[in-house]
Amino acid sequence: NAGVTQTPKFQVLKTGQSMTLQCAQDMNHEYMSWYRQDPGMGLRLIHYSVGAGITDQGEVPNGYNVSRSTTEDFPLRLLSAAPSQTSVYFCASSSSGYNSPLHFGNGTRLTVT
Amino acid sequence: AQRVTQPEKLLSVFKGAPVELKCNYSYSGSPELFWYVQYSRQRLQLLLRHISRESIKGFTADLNKGETSFHLKKPFAQEEDSAMYYCAANSGSARQLTFGSGTQLTVLP
C-alpha cells in the first residue's frame, strides 16, 4: 500500500511549456485534490474531484486543468507554465467518510524560469 | 469568505516549556477544524481533528466558538515536535479544506 504517489519530485520548466503532474492513490479513495504551497500563504486548493468523471475548481484554478478518468489517478496539467506557478504541489486523497483525513503525497517542486 | 488565520509564522520554545499555536477561523455555519503537521522531509499528515476530541503526541486543541479559535496546545514541548503546523477547516458537508499559512515550530534544547 503506497498511499498517494506523486511524480516527478522535481521539475524545471521554461515559461510557456506545458506539463502534467501525476498523482495516483491505491486506497480506493473517492476524493482527490491538488494544492499548491507557497511561503507565507499555506496550502491553496487548485482543483478537486469527488469521484471518477467529476472535477471542480478550488481557490486558484487558473492555468491548471484536471481530469479524473479513473478512481486511482488525478493528473494536474499546466497548460502554459508561468513563473507565478513556481511552487510545491501536493496531491491529497480521502475516503468518502465525513471528516475523513486527507492523505498527502510527497509533493512536486516545480520551478518555472 | 472562508478564512483560517495563523498569526505566528515562527514560534520557538525551549524543551519542556508549554507551547500554544494559535488558529482563528472565519466561516459561515459550523466548520470542522483540523491540525496537520509536516515534519522535516516527511509528507503532510493529520495530527488531530476537533470532532475526535483526541490527544495525539500530547497535543490537544479546543474549539472556542465564541472566539472562533482552535488553538493547539502541549504542556511540555519536545525537540521532536519541531515541524510546520497547519490549521485547516472545511465547511461541513464539503471536504475542501482551507488551510492557514502555517506556523514553523522550533523546540530548542
Side-chain angles (χ1 to χ4, degrees), chain A residues 2-5 30-31 35 37-38 40-45 48 50 59 90 94-106, chain B residues 9 30-34 36 38 41-46 49 51-52 84 86 90-102:
Chain A
V4 179
T5 302
E30 291 185 358
Y31 180 83
Y35 286 87
Q37 182 186 43
D38 300 292
M41 303 188 75
L43 283 83
R44 292 181 292 168
L45 182 64
Y48 64 95
V50 298
E59 180 185 356
F90 288 98
S94 70
S95 66
S96 59
Y98 183 66
N99 281 311
S100 296
L102 285 179
H103 296 259
F104 283 87
N106 275 325
Chain B
K9 290 187 178 180
S30 298
E32 289 300 328
L33 280 301
F34 306 81
Y36 281 79
Q38 188 174 26
R41 297 188 180 86
Q42 294 187 28
R43 61 184 69 194
L44 199 63
Q45 58 187 286
L46 177 71
R49 45 189 159 177
I51 196 170
S52 300
M84 177 70 86
Y86 290 98
N90 72 5
S91 57
S93 59
R95 279 171 285 172
Q96 295 81 266
L97 284 181
T98 297
F99 285 83
S101 56

